[in-house]
Amino acid sequence: MHHGIIVYDSEKYSYHKDFVLIIQSLFHQFGCQTLLKDKKQGNFLKAIRSMEEQDNFFLVTCDLTGFELGTETGSLYYNLLHCKMLHFLFGHHESQRYLKNKLSMSMFFCWLGVPLEEESAILENYPYMEHLHILPNLSWQSFAKTKEPFSKEQRLLKEEIYFFLKESFLL
């Protein structure tokens, strides 16, 4: 069994609560157990450290939650983790500045809600994003509104999670 932590920030982004329940359910369909950690409750770093000791551990973040954490040398804390990571981003927000730095090869990004005309600019602006998928014209609102298991949005998310698990050798 594979174990993961889904880190989110419901205080800053109210839609995270609905979204993480959807992706937790999708990971479960692939035989993965996930622990939900809301940043506002604290201790998500402690949970990551304890899970990292397990084999086949993975980390999922929403809107770059935790990317503000750095090391004493100024690098991104997540770059030091020995696990595969999947980061979901919704549209544009201030945390994008963290993506200008070198990023771990273990990071996968799924960017949702980007207008088609901005897709090439994103690819140019973030050259260190080795594994980047852009799902244009799907907003967080479309995921929050639809909880139907076979909706277009859920199907696309399931495909992204499958790709992540397969490429990470977790399937």
Side-chain angles (χ1 to χ4, degrees), residues 33-153:
Q33 279 189 332
T34 54
L35 175 65
L36 298 178
K37 290 307 259 180
D38 193 339
K39 183 180 174 184
K40 77 176 184 178
Q41 295 170 341
N43 292 332
F44 75 92
L45 272 181
K46 185 178 179 181
I48 290 171
R49 286 186 190 120
S50 68
M51 288 285 268
E52 191 178 20
E53 296 170 5
Q54 299 182 24
D55 289 333
N56 300 319
F57 161 69
F58 60 90
L59 173 69
V60 178
T61 69
C62 299
D63 285 318
L64 305 176
T65 300
F67 266 70
E68 69 280 1
L69 301 171
T71 65
E72 290 179 13
T73 60
S75 63
L76 179 65
Y77 175 77
Y78 287 159
N79 279 343
L80 303 178
L81 295 178
H82 299 288
C83 67
K84 296 294 184 180
M85 293 167 261
L86 175 58
H87 305 290
F88 287 101
L89 294 95
F90 290 92
H92 300 286
H93 46 79
E94 70 280 357
S95 298
Q96 287 177 223
R97 69 180 180 276
Y98 299 114
L99 302 177
K100 294 281 186 185
N101 302 318
K102 287 195 175 189
L103 301 168
S104 169
M105 297 289 288
S106 298
M107 293 185 182
F108 291 72
F109 293 87
C110 181
W111 209 315
L112 305 151
V114 175
L116 277 173
E117 60 273 7
E118 294 180 29
E119 189 172 334
S120 61
I122 286 174
L123 295 171
E124 281 179 34
N125 288 335
Y126 304 107
Y128 297 116
M129 294 176 109
E130 194 70 26
H131 307 285
L132 170 63
H133 286 167
I134 297 174
L135 299 179
N137 301 325
L138 289 178
S139 67
W140 64 264
Q141 292 98 334
S142 64
F143 288 102
K145 286 180 188 169
T146 181
K147 294 186 181 164
E148 300 169 26
F150 300 107
S151 68
K152 171 186 166 188
E153 292 85 356

Side-chain angles (χ1 to χ4, degrees), residues 12 20 22 25 67 79 146 157 164 168:
K12 194 171 187 181
V20 297
I22 292 169
S25 168
F67 266 70
N79 279 343
T146 181
L157 270 181
F164 165 71
S168 301

